[in-house]
Amino acid sequence: MKSDSETPKRHHRPRFANFPFDPTRLPFYYGSVVLVCGTLGVLASAPGQTVGVSVFTDFLIQAHHLSRSWVSFAYFAGTIASALLITRAGRWYDRFGGRWVSAGSAAMLAVVLMGMSFSVAISEFIASVLPVHYRHHVSFAVLTLGFFAMRFFGQGMLTLSSRNMVLEWFEQRRGMAMAFIGIAVAFGFSVTPPIFEWLIQRGGWPWAWQCIAGMIAVFSLVAFSLGRAKPEDHGLLPDGPFARKNRKAHVETLSGRQFTLSEARRTYSFWVFTFSVLLSALVLTAFSFHVVSIFSDAGMRRGQAVAIFVPAACVSVIVEFVGSWFSDFIKLKYLAMVQLFGIIVLSLSLSFLDAGPSVYLVVLGMGCMQGMFGIVSGVTWPRFFGRTHLGAISGFSTSIVVAGTAVGPYLFSVAHDQFGSYRPATLLCASVGFLLFAASFRADRPQ
């Protein structure tokens, strides 16, 4: 006879939960399928991530006859606008579940990419009914709207719903699940730019976006067919047969009470972890956006600047794998400290960058920071605040982080324009990192 802890609680099953098939009829735990599906969802968000958009930037500048600063500002404005709505997307996740939101956001991202492939024609059509001097304004508005939709459905909704769907199916094994996603995404995103570039060279940038839209549309069908919201919808438990007999292996491995968003926002740990992830996203995006200029100021070539991402990715994969395994057994604040250590090392090494040992410190700092990013930003919310309002809580945090990805490059630009150096911005980031590191000692799971 099963104990109370092993028996699934009565749970309202949503309509069409078992369409087109019932996961309980399969001879294996369905969480493994959800893990693969969620990982593909995060990878499918690449066209809406900076790593995917950046490949098309120069072509958009040329095609729309806009300056780099105007296209960059359109990207900034679209990202900020998407950040304001991601909290609402999190509430949609809580209401409809990861399966529907993931499939729907992928379908919408495909539509947006198709629209962006015709952005020049759309701009010219709108401009044809307006005075001539409004042509550049129309192009700017079209790109801003397009960037907003790409960031909202790609970086925002698709990433959030795919990752959270996996977190629903794993509790004691969340760390290992996040390690699988993190390693796959690290390698997947690293090959995204050359793949997109190959498509562009083969048929032009509009054709490349159309091909990518077709692939995202196929994933939308995969997400609808294979994705499932929660194991309780099918009478199953998180972790399935992989659940440990002793479900009290660590004080933080299981959720306590189920926090609402407003309750989570009143806790000390919520803000420490949110600002840690925010600072990491801000520094990484700013560094990636200005990497060639930063290395040029230090007397190094463009090739040396671009090459820094390869060894950093290798360090990141190792750190994420080890950190994910440890996250199932230790308090998350210690992993946040590793992330903040990486931010501090990266920021200080960029402040005093030269062709010597500081380059190795850049690799170490970025590797630690990136490696811990997925763990701290993903595992924290269900473990600290439960799964009932996971979408709203993670969505609110994600909206803040997305805003940081827009502010980071602008902050570094202002520092360089005003002081002729990125050092004021990097030292500011290092100082904030030190403050958060000190604050993280008290960032335990709320009771």
Side-chain angles (χ1 to χ4, degrees):
M1 181 176 179
K2 294 183 178 181
S3 65
D4 291 340
S5 62
E6 294 176 326
T7 303
K9 296 179 181 179
R10 295 182 63 86
H11 184 83
H12 174 68
R13 179 172 298 178
R15 293 180 63 187
F16 308 113
N18 290 327
F19 181 84
F21 58 87
D22 184 356
T24 60
R25 296 182 179 275
L26 299 177
F28 55 85
Y29 180 57
Y30 198 75
S32 57
V33 177
V34 175
L35 175 59
V36 174
C37 185
T39 302
L40 291 175
V42 179
L43 290 172
S45 73
Q49 305 278 0
T50 302
V51 68
V53 177
S54 61
V55 183
F56 294 85
T57 301
D58 289 337
F59 297 99
L60 292 174
I61 291 172
Q62 197 172 39
H64 286 272
H65 305 288
L66 293 174
S67 67
R68 182 174 298 274
S69 59
W70 273 108
V71 174
S72 298
F73 188 74
Y75 189 68
F76 168 84
T79 301
I80 290 294
S82 70
L84 297 176
L85 292 181
I86 291 177
T87 301
R88 172 59 59 183
R91 297 186 188 279
W92 293 341
Y93 173 88
D94 289 332
R95 181 176 179 181
F96 300 107
R99 176 194 189 184
W100 291 95
V101 176
S102 179
S105 55
M108 289 303 301
L109 179 59
V111 171
V112 172
L113 293 175
M114 189 64 70
M116 285 293 282
S117 71
F118 294 101
S119 59
V120 174
I122 295 172
S123 298
E124 290 177 348
F125 174 77
I126 298 174
S128 65
V129 299
L130 297 174
V132 177
H133 59 274
Y134 282 106
R135 185 171 185 268
H136 293 308
H137 297 81
V138 171
S139 292
F140 172 79
V142 169
L143 287 181
T144 300
L145 181 61
F147 285 144
F148 157 75
M150 290 174 67
R151 300 291 275 170
F152 179 68
F153 291 112
Q155 184 195 30
M157 288 185 66
L158 184 54
T159 302
L160 182 147
S161 58
S162 299
R163 185 178 60 191
N164 283 356
M165 181 169 60
V166 173
L167 295 175
E168 298 273 16
W169 283 78
F170 294 91
E171 190 167 70
Q172 298 173 14
R173 299 291 183 177
R174 279 191 185 123
M176 295 306 296
M178 291 305 298
F180 181 87
I181 294 176
I183 293 172
V185 170
F187 285 113
F189 280 10
S190 67
V191 300
T192 291
I195 291 175
F196 287 4
E197 180 67 20
W198 180 80
L199 289 172
I200 292 171
Q201 295 302 323
R202 189 173 181 85
W205 66 269
W207 182 81
W209 256 334
Q210 291 164 15
C211 289
I212 298 168
M215 290 186 282
I216 303 300
V218 171
F219 168 74
S220 176
L221 297 177
V222 172
F224 175 75
S225 300
L226 301 182
R228 294 295 186 273
K230 297 180 180 181
E232 290 87 351
D233 293 345
H234 312 280
L236 300 173
L237 285 171
D239 300 305
F242 304 107
R244 291 187 287 269
K245 294 295 183 181
N246 180 12
R247 297 182 67 87
K248 296 182 179 180
H250 190 275
V251 68
E252 282 190 343
T253 57
L254 294 177
S255 303
R257 66 188 179 93
Q258 305 295 311
F259 286 72
T260 64
L261 174 58
S262 61
E263 290 172 338
R265 287 187 301 199
R266 289 196 292 269
T267 64
Y268 174 85
S269 295
F270 175 85
W271 293 106
V272 172
F273 278 86
T274 294
F275 284 131
S276 297
V277 178
L278 164 64
L279 183 60
S280 177
L282 185 152
V283 173
L284 179 60
T285 308
F287 173 63
S288 301
F289 198 87
H290 297 289
V291 61
V292 174
S293 177
I294 291 173
F295 273 67
S296 177
D297 287 355
M300 287 179 275
R301 301 186 307 275
R302 177 186 180 92
Q304 292 174 291
V306 176
I308 200 72
F309 292 101
V310 177
C314 294
V315 175
S316 172
V317 168
I318 296 173
V319 170
E320 180 151 13
F321 182 80
V322 175
S324 297
W325 185 80
F326 274 112
S327 71
D328 288 331
F329 307 102
I330 67 173
K331 292 185 177 182
L332 291 178
K333 67 180 181 182
Y334 299 127
L335 301 184
M337 290 177 185
V338 175
Q339 182 185 41
L340 291 165
F341 168 78
I343 294 173
I344 294 169
V345 170
L346 176 60
S347 299
L348 290 178
S349 60
L350 293 178
S351 301
F352 305 98
L353 184 63
D354 56 30
S358 58
V359 174
Y360 298 100
L361 292 177
V362 169
V363 172
L364 174 64
M366 186 159 62
C368 291
M369 182 181 70
Q370 284 184 292
M372 288 298 170
F373 183 89
I375 305 171
V376 176
S377 64
V379 177
T380 303
W381 313 130
R383 180 180 296 185
F384 278 15
F385 306 111
R387 295 189 291 130
T388 302
H389 303 284
L390 176 60
I393 294 171
S394 62
F396 179 77
S397 177
T398 301
S399 68
I400 298 175
V401 173
V402 171
T405 64
V407 172
Y410 184 70
L411 173 65
F412 274 48
S413 296
V414 170
H416 195 269
D417 291 342
Q418 295 296 320
F419 302 100
S421 170
Y422 294 103
R423 185 172 295 174
T426 54
L427 289 178
L428 174 62
C429 292
S431 300
V432 176
F434 275 115
L435 291 175
L436 287 171
F437 189 91
S440 63
F441 282 93
R442 294 179 50 239
D444 294 302
R445 190 189 68 169
Q447 300 299 320

